[in-house]
Amino acid sequence: MSSRSLRALAFLPVAALLSGCNMVVMQPAGDIATRQRDLIVASTGLMLLIILPVIAFTLFFAWRYRQSNTEAEYDPDWHHSTQLEVLIWSAPLVIIIALGALTWISTHTLDPYRPLSRIDAARPLPADVKPLTVEVVALDWKWLFFYPDLGIATVNELAAPVDVPINFKITSASMMNSFFIPALAGQIYAMAGMETKLHAVINKEGVYEGFSANYSGEGFSRMNFKFYGLTQDGFDQWVAKAKSEGKELSRDAYIALEKPSEREPVIYYSTVAPGLFNAILNMCVVEGKMCMGEMMSIDSKGGAGKESHANHDRLRYDDRHAVRGEEAQAATFPASEKKPRSQEVDRAKDPAKGHEHHDHSMPGMKHDDPAPAQLNR
């Protein structure tokens, strides 16, 4: 067998591995993703200006000064070359300066919180354009999208008209996730009690994949959705479909939707309870819970003093699935031999079954005592 055939056979495993790769990041459909692709290409090219010559000269020196090459000059007393020192230090320094400048400019230009200034490389953003606002909520394990200007919401399906700026407001109901549509823009984290933002635009019609890029439990791998880039007429028809086929998203309906589930089908909501997204963001959808905004207002004033003890139950939120018996099986069970928390006895309801009550007061402090001095300032 010839050496060429052997090289071809050696390449087959590499080709098999690469066949499963999706190069959507390098084939974007939105201006932000396109500029991020260009940044990747430019950065890689700059680094290859150093990497390739180093590899080439390493191989050349190994071949040139091999033991069997008796014609190569042998100089055991050689110790310094000014020309080599200048080359070794100046070339990487220039590359580092170029990469630093490119990164600094791109970091500010592609800031996800920064409103768009153009539709694409050839078209600036029209002065009278109205962005499409989409409020995103990461659930276990599905995505909920609100269209506040249109009064609709969807589960696991997102759509937007081509060449219209999209303003995403992103949060999570519980677990930290990452909102990512590779063809549109880079990933943005979704965190409970916090709002992150992303400004983007889709420039080509099509159907694109969206998913969570941050591990969040056993249903993470199926936390996917479709993103449709549509013409304005197509988008209007999609909105009309959501309104005609959708149902009501009340607070009770949201609480039921929030329960952990996998492979959730697409759901349309024609009406949405007023202020629902803000309630999710402030972690106070459940009746009787204190909103994060109210809590931060109290904290900014130095705390509520001894009266703050009454707010304890209103601030308990993270264990709501366990309390209602809805929590999914632990992601690491049975490998970790750790049972799901839903199988554990609720400490507050049944302290007699081996669970101790944890008092977070300061040592020697009674419940009727005022809060520490620093909280009353």
Side-chain angles (χ1 to χ4, degrees):
M1 184 178 292
S2 66
S3 59
R4 179 176 297 179
S5 299
L6 289 174
R7 286 197 297 268
L9 288 174
F11 181 74
L12 285 178
V14 178
L17 290 173
L18 292 176
S19 65
C21 295
N22 187 347
M23 298 297 289
V24 63
V25 173
M26 306 308 292
Q27 298 173 342
D31 183 59
I32 296 298
T34 299
R35 293 157 82 176
Q36 291 173 337
R37 188 243 357 236
D38 294 343
L39 176 61
I40 293 173
V41 172
S43 300
T44 303
L46 284 172
M47 289 184 285
L48 287 177
L49 290 177
I50 291 296
I51 295 172
L52 293 180
V54 168
I55 293 175
F57 277 107
T58 299
L59 296 175
F60 171 75
F61 282 120
W63 175 81
R64 177 73 174 81
Y65 295 102
R66 65 193 186 278
Q67 185 178 9
S68 60
N69 185 12
T70 57
E71 296 181 359
E73 182 180 355
Y74 176 65
D75 185 3
D77 297 325
W78 183 90
H79 66 281
H80 178 75
S81 170
T82 302
Q83 292 83 356
L84 279 177
E85 290 287 345
V86 171
L87 179 64
I88 290 171
W89 290 105
S90 61
L93 181 61
V94 171
I95 299 299
I96 290 172
I97 292 174
L99 278 173
L102 183 64
T103 303
W104 189 90
I105 294 172
S106 299
T107 298
H108 291 79
T109 304
L110 300 177
D111 183 352
Y113 281 62
R114 181 175 181 170
L116 300 183
S117 59
R118 70 185 203 184
I119 298 298
D120 55 33
R123 293 175 293 172
L125 189 70
D128 58 346
V129 68
K130 183 180 179 181
L132 175 68
T133 299
V134 179
E135 296 166 337
V136 182
V137 181
L139 301 172
D140 297 332
W141 286 275
K142 47 197 170 281
W143 293 94
L144 174 61
F145 304 105
F146 292 95
Y147 289 78
D149 298 332
L150 303 173
I152 63 173
T154 62
V155 171
N156 286 344
E157 186 171 290
L158 177 65
V162 170
D163 294 337
V164 174
I166 312 171
N167 295 348
F168 290 103
K169 299 179 180 180
I170 306 168
T171 191
S172 173
S174 57
M175 192 70 66
M176 182 175 177
N177 271 285
S178 179
F179 176 72
F180 190 24
I181 306 175
L184 180 71
Q187 62 171 334
I188 301 295
Y189 283 109
M191 296 168 280
M194 300 179 67
E195 180 185 286
T196 51
K197 297 181 180 180
L198 172 65
H199 293 84
V201 61
I202 192 72
N203 300 124
K204 300 177 183 177
E205 292 182 59
V207 182
Y208 307 100
E209 295 292 330
F211 53 89
S212 172
N214 189 80
Y215 180 71
S216 58
E218 61 181 347
F220 153 78
S221 60
R222 289 170 290 278
M223 195 172 171
N224 307 318
F225 64 92
K226 296 292 185 182
F227 171 56
Y228 293 89
L230 305 170
T231 63
Q232 187 61 57
D233 289 341
F235 180 71
D236 292 340
Q237 294 174 13
W238 181 84
V239 173
K241 177 183 177 181
K243 290 184 176 181
S244 62
E245 300 180 6
K247 49 189 176 180
E248 179 185 3
L249 182 58
S250 61
R251 291 205 175 202
D252 290 338
Y254 169 78
I255 292 172
L257 177 67
E258 188 196 22
K259 297 178 182 179
S261 63
E262 300 179 35
R263 301 183 184 276
E264 195 72 25
V266 174
I267 305 174
Y268 300 112
Y269 295 98
S270 56
T271 59
V272 178
L276 181 55
F277 177 77
N278 285 331
I280 298 170
L281 174 61
N282 282 278
M283 304 176 69
C284 57
V285 176
V286 178
E287 185 177 357
K289 295 299 180 184
M290 178 184 287
C291 291
M292 294 284 291
E294 182 182 353
M295 181 178 68
M296 289 187 288
S297 177
I298 293 173
D299 290 344
S300 68
K301 297 174 182 177
K306 62 181 181 180
E307 292 83 3
S308 63
H309 184 72
N311 291 329
H312 179 266
D313 290 336
R314 296 179 65 200
L315 291 169
R316 291 185 62 184
Y317 186 83
D318 289 341
D319 60 349
R320 64 196 182 284
H321 292 308
V323 170
R324 298 199 298 256
E326 303 164 356
E327 191 172 41
Q329 189 180 65
T332 56
F333 178 80
S336 65
E337 298 184 356
K338 180 179 179 181
K339 299 291 184 181
R341 286 191 299 169
S342 58
Q343 296 179 7
E344 297 179 357
V345 179
D346 181 50
R347 298 181 182 183
K349 292 182 178 179
D350 197 355
K353 293 189 177 182
H355 292 280
E356 298 180 358
H357 174 69
H358 295 278
D359 191 345
H360 297 287
S361 303
M362 295 182 65
M365 179 180 175
K366 299 179 180 180
H367 289 307
D368 295 334
D369 290 344
Q374 67 270 22
L375 297 180
N376 291 321
R377 292 176 183 172

